[in-house]
């Protein structure tokens, strides 16, 4: 449905005790692959563990929401017809479309 620009998943949460970090409680959402990670320092984030899990789940949630919109959106008279305009979609489908647009940086 879309051409995403971010690093694809899967991502996972890991804990790192690097000596150069003040409190040594940093969680990482890390891509299963070479050298890409998002570090969340506990010194600045109160809900570090929850934030790391949310970030790690984001690619999967985006893909699932995209499929849900595709499945539940209102089309013309047949399944082969194109998706109707945004304004003609149910409220919940519009909310999901808005969230996907926000994730793509379009809003």
């Amino acid at each position: 449905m879309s051409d995403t620009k971010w690093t694809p998943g899967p991502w996972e949460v890991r804990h790192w005790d690097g000596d150069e970090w003040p409190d040594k409680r940093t969680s990482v959402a890390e891509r299963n692959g070479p050298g890409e990670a998002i570090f969340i320092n506990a010194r600045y984030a109160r809900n570090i563990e929850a934030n790391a899990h949310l970030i790690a789940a984001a690619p999967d949630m985006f893909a699932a929401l995209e499929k849900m919109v595709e499945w539940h959106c209102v089309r013309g008279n047949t399944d082969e017809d194109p998706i109707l305009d945004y304004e003609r979609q149910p409220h919940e489908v519009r909310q999901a479309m808005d969230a996907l647009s926000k994730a793509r940086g379009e809003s």
Side-chain angles (χ1 to χ4, degrees):
M1 217 173 154
S2 70
D3 181 29
T4 58
K5 306 283 190 253
W6 54 78
T7 304
W11 289 77
E12 63 186 35
V13 174
R14 295 188 185 186
H15 302 285
W16 183 69
D17 291 334
D19 292 332
E20 59 271 18
W21 293 88
D23 52 19
K24 297 183 182 182
R25 292 185 317 137
T26 301
S27 286
V28 177
E30 185 173 24
R31 181 170 183 243
N32 292 334
E36 295 188 50
I38 299 168
F39 290 87
I40 307 168
N41 192 317
R43 181 177 184 190
Y44 305 110
R46 292 183 57 178
N47 300 320
I48 184 173
E49 186 79 16
N51 292 343
H53 283 286
L54 181 63
I55 291 167
D60 296 330
M61 290 191 302
F62 183 90
L65 189 57
E66 213 173 28
K67 288 178 185 172
M68 294 283 293
V69 166
E70 182 70 25
W71 181 261
H72 291 287
C73 64
V74 176
R75 298 179 180 277
N77 294 328
T78 70
D79 285 340
E80 289 79 34
D81 286 342
I83 297 172
L84 296 179
D85 293 337
Y86 174 88
E87 293 77 22
R88 297 178 68 187
Q89 298 297 329
H91 175 71
E92 294 80 6
V93 172
R94 290 193 317 265
Q95 284 182 308
M97 291 171 136
D98 291 343
L100 292 169
S101 291
K102 184 176 182 179
R104 288 189 298 263
E106 298 170 355
S107 62

